[in-house]
Each structure stands twice: as C-alpha cells, then as structure tokens.
Amino acid sequence: MGQPATDLRRTPLHAAHIAAGARLVPFAGWEMPLQYDGIREEHEAVRRDVGVFDVSHMGQISISGRRAQERLQRLVTSDVRRIPEGGAQYSLLCNERGGVLDDLFLYRLGEDRYLVVTNAANHAEDLVWMRSHGEEFEADLRDCQADFAMLAVQGPRARALVEGLSDGRLPPRMHCCQRTVAGVPLLVCGTGYTGEDGVELLCEPEQAEALWSALLAAGARPVGLGARDTLRMEACFHLYGNDLDPEHDPISAGLGWACAESTGFIGAEAVAAVRARGPELKLVPFALRGSGIARPGNPVLAPVDDPAAPAGVVTSGTFSPMLQRGIGFAYVAAARAVPGTVLQIDVRGTIRDAVVEEKPLYRKDH
Amino acid sequence: MADPHYPDDLKYHSEHDWARIEGDEAAFGITWYAQDTLGEVVFYSPPALGATLAKDEPYTEVESVKAVSDVVAPLSGEVIAVNEALADNPQLINDDPYGDGWLVRVRLTDPAEVEGLMDSAAYVSTLP
C-alpha cells in the first residue's frame, strides 16, 4: 500500500476487470481485483459452481537444458525426479538455513524442460537466487513472466466448462498439457488454490482478454483476491508472506511432505535437523469457538498451566463463508499442535477461544 | 445493497459516521460509503451499555470478511442502547446503514459538538 497507483503493474485483463465492476487494490506491486460483487458471493460461486481468477501477477521461470533436472533438484525441496513429463508438483525454495524463500508449482513440460510458477512478491528475488545457486548444473534459466497471462478456473463445474471450450480432454489433477481453449492456444494445468477441482490456464498476454470473455460467456463468475484468500484458508493452503517466510522452516509449517532431504537440495541439512529433533513451533489451522475473527499478528497466549511455554501468533485469519465462523492459522508450541486443543487468542484485547482443527478446515461433505 | 445515498436529516463525521440528533440523544451508524468500502459486514461487537464515547475516538469495530475497521464516535456521549439485531444479522449494516443498521444510541454530553459535523452535501463533497 502507499504506492502511487501509477507505479503498479497491470495485467492484460485490467480493462476487463473494470468492465466487470472490480474494486482494484495494490497487491505485491500489481493493481489487482480484490472483489467484483462481494467476497462472500464469489466464494460461494467457486464452492458451488465455477469462478475465474486473474492470477497473471504470478511469475514464471523456465529451466531447460540437459542438466535442468539436476539444477532444479538442487534448488527446490521436493523430489523432482518424481514429476513425469506432463506432471506437476508443489515445492519450496529454501535458503541454506532451511528458511522458506518461496513456495512454488513445478510443471514438467518436456524431458529437460520445466516451468516454475512463483509468487508475485518473490519472483524477482527467486530469479536472482536460482541464477546464482546450483550453477554446477548448467541450465538455461529464463524469466517468462511477461510471456504469460494466467487464469484459474475453479469450482465443481470448472472442468466441464473449460472442456466444453477445449479441443481435447483436460489433464487430470497435478498434470498439464497444451490445448486450444476458446481458440486460444495455452497450457492447461490441473492445479489450483481453492480446494475445488479446476484448472489453471497459461496463455499469451495478448490472448488473455479473449479467453476471459469466453469463460465469462460460458458462465464462469469473476472472482477476486479477497475470495481467493478465504477459499485457500478453508482448504488450508499456505500463503507466502503470511504463513511462510525465511524465519520459518518447512517442517514447522507442516510442509515436510514437500521435502525430500535425501536429494541434497539447498537447506536439506537444516530441514533434516528440524525433522529429526522435532520443531519447537508448528503451524496449525484453527476455528474460533464463538464469535469474533482473529487476524494476522494476533498473539496466541501461552497455556495457563504452563506460562513459560512459547506463545504463538496468528499468521492468517478471516471469516469463513462456509463454516460461518472465524478461521485461520497460527504457529503454536508443538505440544499444543493437536486437533482439539483449545487456544486463547488475543483478538485486539478480547481473549477468544479457538480450537485446533484437522486439515482441511472445510471439506465438501461438511 | 442500495445505491449511494446520504440522507439530509443526518449529520456526518469525516471518518464516515453519521449521527441522527433527537434532542439530547442521538443514534450513530456508518455511512453508505463506509459500508461499501468495507464490504459485507460479518461481525460487529457492540460497546457496553453505559460506555462513555468521546468524539473522534474509536468506540467499536465492524468486520468484513477481509478486514476489521474501527468506528469513530461522531459526538461524545453515554451509550443508552445498542442494536441487538446486529448480533445475528450484522449485514443489516450493509442493507440499511441509516435504518436497521444503526449501531448505538447515546445521550449526548456536549450537544454543542454537533456544530462541528457536516451536513449531507458537505460530506458528499469529501468522498472520492
């Protein structure tokens, strides 16, 4: 915030957002739609039908060449050898201390060709880091952010809607392939950030408006970053900058499943050490017991019977449209990171009870 | 949500609050602009009956899905009623910000403060 609007980057869909009645806000250096008709309506559209998000602020980095896989493996925490051609994987970028620099999606486009999707706020630094680490494995690293617009189509009807406009079957979850959708050649990825089925579409920026219009005409509802945040919290997906940062390691963040220390990635030793001894703090999802909404930065009090125990802090918090209560994530002492544990959160001076929950916070069969 | 409207019979504070003055009492609420900026209100925690409100100071919070926002007292006074209906239906603040969405009723401690508030036209001229 505070950045003059003129300095903000705009996606190719800027005019389309204004036409759709968007409220635009600064986000990670971009001017992005926060909402169109309202966060709750948009949230419910994705849970019950289908919504489309402009996520063109996200960055892309291509890594290619004979040693691309080795280079990528040195850089990221997951076992990238497990990604088949046309496959996708969630992964993390860590520093030597095991601190998280970014969370990423990896797509294997060909035998020696990978596409890495970064968070907007981290993209430039990720690129510098990736170019200056693992150089013993020579590969071609290219900033592709300007080459792509990115739309996420999410919801129970998302696949059927996109398939109806597509020249072929869509890839299954965690896979990707080239298709032509509404006349626009693009990369279709069976991934998302909402907990619903759906796809993410990467196309040339010049074609984004045609694609957007076709998706809207087919019944997809425009959804802004506000609902993207509430949806991802119900689904228990991390947000970099809130739940992940260089001061937290993947194990504490509950992302040990995305780390294969045996591959020798940068930070593997530090991550292995935390895994072996157990983290001091763990990130947990919680739901407020009564009314009230905890927000990032609200302190989690130490338990009354152990006042010396480490206190905790809320890293994400919102009102869940599906659960109709305050939900969020907090780092708490590992011993308390057990579903059913009651936490006391200081919500701007009012102490409110919250219960540690299982992931995800919202499930279809609720 | 209705279209923007700012009734002529209310007094307005620059922090997007309104006061409906009735003798030495007044009802307070937030303006159409405030509720529109905030988005759908999902939580409102009223002040206690008898609480003392000071002009220009926050006295309660309204929360939307996205954010929490302080509500500033347009005038000084003592809370003599709170809108109980908002506990179950906080979105009344969006649906009817000047009617069913009122927040508190106060007994004014310094009715002369009213002189410092704006009329509808003056307030509207401050909006972006």
Side-chain angles (χ1 to χ4, degrees), chain A residues 24-357:
Chain A
L24 297 162
V25 293
F27 180 81
W30 292 74
E31 191 174 16
M32 298 298 293
L34 173 68
Q35 63 172 64
Y36 303 84
D37 295 330
I39 292 175
R40 186 200 294 261
E41 293 96 311
E42 294 164 31
H43 183 109
E44 289 176 356
V46 173
R47 287 275 177 255
R48 302 199 166 119
D49 189 30
V50 52
V52 57
F53 306 73
D54 179 13
V55 289
S56 300
H57 60 304
M58 301 198 74
Q60 292 82 21
I61 297 170
S62 76
I63 303 183
S64 57
R66 202 173 49 81
R67 309 201 74 176
Q69 187 185 77
E70 291 166 283
R71 177 64 163 272
L72 188 60
Q73 186 61 80
R74 179 76 182 126
L75 293 170
V76 304
T77 60
S78 53
D79 186 349
V80 303
R81 292 165 306 188
R82 298 172 65 100
I83 316 174
E85 280 184 47
Q89 193 178 61
Y90 178 76
S91 197
L92 300 166
L93 190 68
C94 282
N95 61 24
E96 291 84 351
R97 294 179 293 107
V100 180
L101 300 176
D102 203 0
D103 67 334
L104 310 165
F105 255 96
L106 314 177
Y107 299 98
R108 189 173 185 183
L109 305 183
E111 189 185 350
D112 297 324
R113 219 152 50 86
Y114 294 86
L115 191 69
V116 179
V117 175
T118 63
N119 281 296
N122 298 332
H123 178 71
E125 285 177 49
D126 287 356
L127 196 63
V128 170
W129 177 274
M130 289 181 167
R131 284 193 167 134
S132 58
H133 290 80
E135 305 108 302
E136 63 270 34
F137 306 112
E138 203 182 311
D140 182 31
L141 267 80
R142 215 160 54 81
D143 178 4
C144 304
Q145 190 171 34
D147 300 346
F148 292 112
M150 188 164 169
L151 304 186
V153 190
Q154 302 279 302
R157 195 159 68 87
R159 272 179 181 277
L161 185 147
V162 175
E163 205 148 54
L165 302 169
S166 171
D167 64 344
R169 297 291 314 255
L170 300 183
R173 258 197 92 63
M174 298 306 282
H175 286 76
C176 60
C177 66
Q178 289 290 330
R179 284 283 178 266
T180 298
V181 174
V184 176
L186 43 72
L187 181 69
V188 186
C189 306
T191 46
Y193 191 52
T194 60
E196 295 295 330
D197 198 7
V199 291
E200 295 180 297
L201 309 173
L202 289 104
C203 71
E204 285 182 21
E206 296 72 26
Q207 310 250 42
E209 197 148 6
L211 180 62
W212 172 267
S213 301
L215 293 167
L216 260 51
R221 182 169 186 157
V223 184
L225 293 183
R228 186 168 162 83
D229 198 41
T230 52
L231 288 159
R232 68 98 192 167
M233 271 189 251
E234 286 183 347
C236 288
F237 293 137
H238 298 68
L239 175 62
Y240 193 90
N242 280 45
D243 316 307
L244 298 173
D245 58 45
E247 304 313 310
H248 290 97
D249 63 88
I251 305 296
S252 304
L255 292 171
W257 60 269
C259 297
E261 292 94 299
S262 63
T263 61
F265 62 82
I266 294 168
E269 285 179 18
V271 171
V274 178
R275 199 194 288 269
R277 70 167 183 266
E280 188 188 356
L281 299 173
K282 281 187 182 171
L283 188 70
V284 293
F286 65 78
L288 273 289
R289 230 178 201 172
S291 58
I293 304 167
R295 303 285 183 180
N298 290 165
V300 179
L301 308 187
V304 272
D305 55 353
D306 186 12
V313 64
V314 174
T315 54
S316 286
T318 193
F319 180 81
S320 161
M322 303 314 284
L323 304 176
Q324 289 288 305
R325 58 180 56 228
I327 60 166
F329 310 142
Y331 279 100
V332 301
R336 313 190 69 209
V338 181
T341 302
V342 179
L343 307 173
Q344 276 78 44
I345 302 177
D346 180 347
V347 181
R348 295 177 301 283
T350 304
I351 307 302
R352 297 191 182 278
D353 283 352
V355 180
V356 176
E357 300 283 347

Side-chain angles (χ1 to χ4, degrees), chain A residues 23 40 230 295 318 348, chain B residues 36 40 43 61 63-65:
Chain A
R23 176 167 296 158
R40 186 200 294 261
T230 52
R295 303 285 183 180
T318 193
R348 295 177 301 283
Chain B
D36 183 58
E40 186 183 335
F43 183 61
E61 296 170 341
E63 292 201 46
S64 65
V65 172

Side-chain angles (χ1 to χ4, degrees), chain B residues 6 11 18-19 25 38-39 42 47-48 52 57 75-76 79 82-84 90-91 94 98 100 108 115 124-125:
Chain B
Y6 302 95
K11 293 293 186 181
W18 56 260
E25 293 181 8
L38 197 58
V42 293
T52 303
E57 296 296 324
L75 299 165
S76 304
V79 176
V82 301
N83 188 351
E84 306 283 355
Q91 71 275 18
N94 301 108
Y98 307 111
D100 291 343
L108 299 175
E115 300 306 315
V124 168
S125 73

